[in-house]
Amino acid sequence: MGLFESFKKGLAKTRDFWAAEWVKTTASHGKFDQDMLDELEELMVRADCGVPASEDVAEYIKNYIKRTGDDSHEGVMSAVKTRIVEILGEKKTLDIEPGKLNIILMVGVNGTGKTTTAGKLALKYKREGKKVIMAAADTFRAAAVNQLKEWGTRTETAVISHEEGSDPASVVFDAVAAAKARNCDVLIVDTAGRLHNKKNLMDELSKINRIIDREAPDANKMSILIIDATTGQNAVLQTEAFSEAVKLDYLGITKLDGSAKGGVAIAVSYLAKVPIVLAGLGEGVEDLMDFDPQAFADALIDT
Ligand SMILES: Nc1nc2c(ncn2[C@@H]2O[C@H](COP(=O)(O)OP(=O)(O)OP(=O)(O)O)[C@@H](O)[C@H]2O)c(=O)[nH]1
Ligand SMILES: [Mg+2]
């Protein structure tokens, strides 16, 4: 399946929601006037794009009509899409440096899809011929370690783990040593779901970072916050909270297939200073794509 088809299939619920709302908006009026602009803004807010981004798009359309005189449905839809792509920003991917150990720290609150995304990423890099290893630094629950080990088996990737309740930083210490000894290209560190108001959890993340800096000072280190699209505006709040507490390099947005709230990618992009690089479009091992702003917008809006 191509990039666009994958996004189209994964975003089917969001796409249907937008299409139905567009029909309602355009059915009640003729040309695009102020009422319709207000409805467009409301539609976007209902579609979880957040108020600031929705206002921005409505303002953009107002100026577009003023500038071009084009108030046709097609013209406006296409302009909405253009602005959405601009908000989503340039396409970026996780920056994996060849010939180096690359360490990817997966962070995020409970249940957003960190472990699943770690497993999917392991497969992606293995297919690219890279040597991959994973660290089970979520030691809170035995089930968490087992879940990562299952992904290890499924993707034939080694998993470094200790028993439940052990120190996550010591798992990372061992994993970095193993990654170096085995000449790995990529080490993926799965961490526990952490809440921004739980200081001990944030401290734990700092400790993991200190271990990485000390044990692998030359590594290409990056952290990715995994957010769950089905949680709507909560995902925006989590992004803000994590950005304040830890150094984030990237965002990954999961479960885009699971609800009509895919618009949250727009809300997050509008506010966040780091790019969305991964899109989770299903539970399967294949259902992970590099986030592509144009494919996302094309899948969302038919023009
Ligand atoms: N539909 C869908 N489900 C997903 C996606 N990504 C993850 N999931 C599901 O979401 C649930 C939680 O995923 P996990 O990977 O366990 O999440 P986590 O962040 O590791 O959770 P904790 O370890 O509890 O913090 C699982 O049932 C996954 O199968 C996705 O892109 N689409
Ligand atoms: Mg997990």
Side-chain angles (χ1 to χ4, degrees), residues 63-235:
N63 291 331
Y64 167 83
I65 295 172
K66 230 186 253 167
R67 194 174 73 242
T68 62
D70 176 10
D71 58 1
S72 69
H73 179 69
E74 296 73 39
V76 169
M77 295 278 268
S78 152
V80 168
K81 198 195 273 192
T82 302
R83 186 62 188 153
I84 285 176
V85 174
E86 281 174 10
I87 291 173
L88 292 172
E90 236 176 274
K91 179 173 179 172
K92 299 230 172 81
T93 52
L94 281 166
D95 177 27
I96 300 297
E97 288 183 34
K100 249 193 177 185
L101 174 59
N102 294 270
I103 304 180
I104 307 172
L105 200 59
M106 316 289 301
V107 302
V109 306
N110 285 324
T112 54
K114 295 177 295 298
T115 307
T116 307
T117 307
K120 291 172 175 176
L121 265 184
L123 182 71
K124 170 184 151 79
Y125 290 131
K126 288 199 75 148
R127 284 193 176 152
E128 291 173 10
K130 297 185 172 76
K131 223 169 160 196
V132 185
I133 192 166
M134 294 196 281
D138 179 355
T139 60
F140 278 151
R141 302 171 292 124
V145 176
N146 290 335
Q147 191 191 353
L148 193 71
K149 280 184 178 164
E150 272 168 36
W151 276 102
T153 308
R154 206 176 298 165
T155 60
E156 296 177 5
T157 307
V159 174
I160 304 298
S161 65
H162 291 181
E163 72 271 19
E164 182 188 355
S166 55
D167 181 5
S170 71
V171 177
V172 173
F173 180 91
D174 283 357
V176 169
K180 287 200 280 195
R182 299 178 201 184
N183 239 331
C184 289
D185 302 295
V186 181
L187 163 61
I188 304 172
V189 181
D190 185 30
T191 68
R194 31 198 100 231
L195 298 168
H196 54 278
N197 54 2
K198 292 204 171 163
K199 187 177 174 299
N200 54 338
L201 289 172
M202 285 302 169
D203 287 350
E204 186 178 295
L205 204 54
S206 304
K207 197 169 159 193
I208 289 175
N209 272 312
R210 279 200 303 276
I211 293 289
I212 294 173
D213 288 341
R214 196 184 72 202
E215 298 304 314
D218 299 331
N220 177 30
K221 191 185 82 168
M222 63 204 95
S223 63
I224 176 162
L225 175 69
I226 303 297
I227 52 173
D228 171 348
T230 64
T231 64
Q233 294 309 297
N234 268 338

